[in-house]
Amino acid sequence: MPKNKSLSSLGLHTVNGNDPVINKIVFDSRQAVPGCLFAALKGGSFHGAQFVEAVLDAGASAILTDKEGELILKGIKIEALVVKEDARRALAKAVSLFLEKQPETIVAITGTNGKTSVATFCRQLWNEVGIEAINIGTTGVEGSWSTPLNNYTTPDPVKLHQLLHNAASEGVTHVAMEASSHGLDQRRLDGVEIKTTAFTNFSRDHLDYHNSYEDYFNAKKGLFERLCPKEKVGVFNIDNREIKDLADWYALNNHVLTIGHDETADLVILSQKFYPKSQDIRFSFRNKIHQKTINLIGAFQAENLLMAALLVISSGQEESSIFEILENIKPVRGRMELAATKKNGATVYVDYAHTPDAIEVALKSLKPHILGKLIVVIGAGGERDEGKRPLMGMAAEQNSDFVIITDDNPRNEDPSVIHQMIKNGIQNDNKVKVIADRAEAILTAVDLLEVGDGLLIAGKGHETEQVIGENNFPFDDFEQASLSVASLDGIEQ
């Protein structure tokens, strides 16, 4: 357990000079205990400063807040009050100093798509060479030590640093973690000792949270500008212009490795050949050509795997040993994963694609694996970026032979309104059908599959629940695909 520490040793100084000893750091008022530091931060609905009186009654020794919180707390007697312009960053730094221990090698991956795959592939590569490693992100904590994350891609700083402390205590030496735009914007990763960073790709997403496309990019840019500004290693996919420009800037003070189809990249993807369950990749790195067979579906997954390889190499492993084991890497749960195969040979895949760009990339990448027609099942989450919905429909229509629109996680929105928004992006009514019930939509899509056809069930990937209203119902696309195939093929389960 971490030792008690003075407030000043955590980089925090009170407005009146008091310096109490802290035995715990919390930002959930319900977790307050005597002797703790409570971080009163602004949330989605409330400001934490509104709960300070209850926290003081519970015995909290100090309060950390921002300028807005200071105004709310005016008139309340607080023996140890810390006010910071960027209170979230101050909290993350304080938790890091309080818990102290982190695994020695941590890599962080940002990007609109691919974060989970790259992080998981890094962990698998490390595990393959005998290193105790984990990945942290959308699928939880996986690898040499595991724990759930309750659907947070990037956990809050208290939870994150506790995870890192516990992992290090369990002998984990290497971590690959996802750096979401929300997590970066809210300073959740500040205080993490990141050795190597990566930027996978960039396209529209999360504009329900970020004010603009530019703000969304700037949030991700914070990983390089604020968390790892100097003398670090960055891996960039320079097929994207914005990322290429960022890589050029980052190279002024850091070592940079680039990947892409552009011949100027350090690792150039030269060609790919596709099979129903695998692909051959040919690439060059440092003027040497390599060719490997990998058990992954989709051209973009080859990019993700090779980016992971560069992260692992740049954090200390020999390139020859890492490239040698690429064929051992397994697909990530719900990321272009083969879910079922019909008796007639038609294949069903599950993928997490839930943005216009991700749907386009997934379908284009899947098409070379499919000899017949390609069908896609899509939906869009309720209470999220509405502007992307018609763009998702357009991407689905333009890159498949038939589209079935269904529920994703409608939450408290009217599902029919979401369906229509997606359908508004589709020009040909003969190429689309709306089936609200997701299980029925998947069954219908599977029933349409003929010899050589393929189906992509997009949107939920690894998720095992569907959010309707305020309720979470069990639902697994992978399981539903298998049940549908078994039912239609007359196979007993």
Side-chain angles (χ1 to χ4, degrees), residues 389-404:
R389 293 171 185 173
L391 300 177
M392 292 169 67
M394 183 186 302
E397 179 189 24
Q398 292 178 351
N399 296 283
S400 72
D401 298 293
F402 194 74
V403 182
I404 295 180

Side-chain angles (χ1 to χ4, degrees), residues 140-282:
V141 179
E142 301 174 309
S144 301
W145 177 76
S146 61
T147 187
L149 283 184
N150 298 323
N151 296 321
Y152 279 103
T153 300
T154 307
D156 68 72
V158 175
K159 175 71 170 176
L160 176 58
H161 284 283
Q162 188 68 62
L163 283 174
L164 295 175
H165 175 91
N166 292 346
S169 299
E170 292 293 325
V172 172
T173 59
H174 288 60
V175 177
M177 61 183 300
E178 299 177 46
S180 68
S181 60
H182 292 67
L184 290 165
D185 183 61
Q186 295 171 14
R187 309 305 198 248
R188 298 181 203 163
L189 286 88
D190 290 59
V192 178
E193 296 297 325
I194 299 169
K195 186 171 185 178
T196 309
T197 56
F199 205 143
T200 60
N201 50 61
F202 186 73
S203 61
R204 178 189 176 122
D205 199 11
H206 301 304
L207 296 192
D208 54 307
Y209 176 87
H210 301 284
N211 293 325
S212 66
Y213 186 81
E214 183 180 14
D215 284 347
Y216 175 42
F217 184 79
N218 287 336
K220 292 188 172 296
K221 193 176 178 181
L223 175 61
F224 308 92
E225 285 186 327
R226 189 180 71 253
L227 274 68
C228 303
K230 290 184 180 180
E231 298 178 359
K232 300 290 185 179
V233 180
V235 179
F236 298 85
N237 186 333
I238 60 171
D239 285 343
N240 180 283
R241 168 52 59 180
E242 289 133 320
I243 296 177
K244 188 178 189 306
D245 291 342
L246 179 61
D248 291 340
W249 168 82
Y250 199 62
L252 297 175
N253 295 298
N254 302 273
H255 180 60
V256 165
L257 281 174
T258 57
I259 178 176
H261 295 82
D262 190 314
E263 62 182 16
T264 64
D266 295 303
L267 190 154
V268 183
I269 301 170
L270 299 171
S271 59
Q272 294 166 265
K273 187 175 181 179
F274 304 96
Y275 307 97
K277 298 180 181 179
S278 64
Q279 61 180 290
D280 293 336
I281 54 173
R282 188 169 180 266

Side-chain angles (χ1 to χ4, degrees), residues 235-473:
V235 179
F236 298 85
N237 186 333
I238 60 171
D239 285 343
N240 180 283
R241 168 52 59 180
E242 289 133 320
I243 296 177
K244 188 178 189 306
D245 291 342
L246 179 61
D248 291 340
W249 168 82
Y250 199 62
L252 297 175
N253 295 298
N254 302 273
H255 180 60
V256 165
L257 281 174
T258 57
I259 178 176
H261 295 82
D262 190 314
E263 62 182 16
T264 64
D266 295 303
L267 190 154
V268 183
I269 301 170
L270 299 171
S271 59
Q272 294 166 265
K273 187 175 181 179
F274 304 96
Y275 307 97
K277 298 180 181 179
S278 64
Q279 61 180 290
D280 293 336
I281 54 173
R282 188 169 180 266
F283 61 95
S284 67
F285 182 60
R286 292 174 177 164
N287 298 317
K288 183 178 179 181
I289 293 178
H290 304 262
Q291 183 167 315
K292 295 291 177 183
T293 297
I294 58 174
N295 299 308
L296 302 173
I297 301 299
F300 69 96
Q301 284 293 48
E303 294 180 20
N304 289 334
L305 177 57
L306 292 173
M307 174 166 272
L310 289 185
L311 278 167
V312 169
I313 291 166
S314 63
S315 60
Q317 300 305 304
E318 291 293 329
E319 64 185 76
S320 57
S321 61
I322 296 304
F323 289 153
E324 189 64 32
I325 59 174
L326 294 180
E327 61 192 22
N328 297 342
I329 301 307
K330 298 177 178 62
V332 180
R333 171 73 167 162
R335 301 308 193 272
M336 201 56 81
E337 186 179 18
L338 179 63
T341 303
K342 291 184 71 174
K343 280 183 179 178
N344 64 10
T347 47
V348 183
Y349 303 86
V350 170
D351 191 67
Y352 193 51
H354 58 277
T355 68
D357 182 68
I359 290 169
E360 177 182 354
V361 169
L363 290 169
K364 282 183 175 178
S365 294
L366 186 55
K367 190 65 176 176
H369 296 270
I370 307 297
L371 293 176
K373 66 179 181 290
L374 179 56
I375 299 172
V376 61
V377 172
I378 65 167
E383 301 175 357
R384 298 295 186 268
D385 181 8
E386 295 182 3
K388 73 179 183 180
R389 293 171 185 173
L391 300 177
M392 292 169 67
M394 183 186 302
E397 179 189 24
Q398 292 178 351
N399 296 283
S400 72
D401 298 293
F402 194 74
V403 182
I404 295 180
I405 298 171
T406 190
D407 287 353
D408 187 287
N409 294 316
R411 299 182 176 88
N412 290 303
E413 270 198 76
D414 181 347
S416 65
V417 173
I418 300 174
H419 302 159
Q420 188 59 50
M421 287 183 177
I422 298 171
K423 193 176 179 183
N424 288 343
I426 297 176
Q427 301 298 313
N428 187 350
D429 285 342
N430 295 323
K431 285 189 64 175
V432 61
K433 187 172 185 178
V434 177
I435 303 175
D437 182 87
R438 194 171 180 91
E440 183 184 348
I442 292 172
L443 180 64
T444 301
V446 171
D447 193 30
L448 291 173
L449 295 176
E450 298 176 323
V451 176
D453 291 347
L455 166 64
L456 176 65
I457 305 170
K460 293 176 62 60
H462 65 282
E463 294 176 1
T464 56
E465 293 182 328
Q466 187 175 26
V467 186
I468 302 174
E470 299 297 328
N471 300 309
N472 289 26
F473 297 97

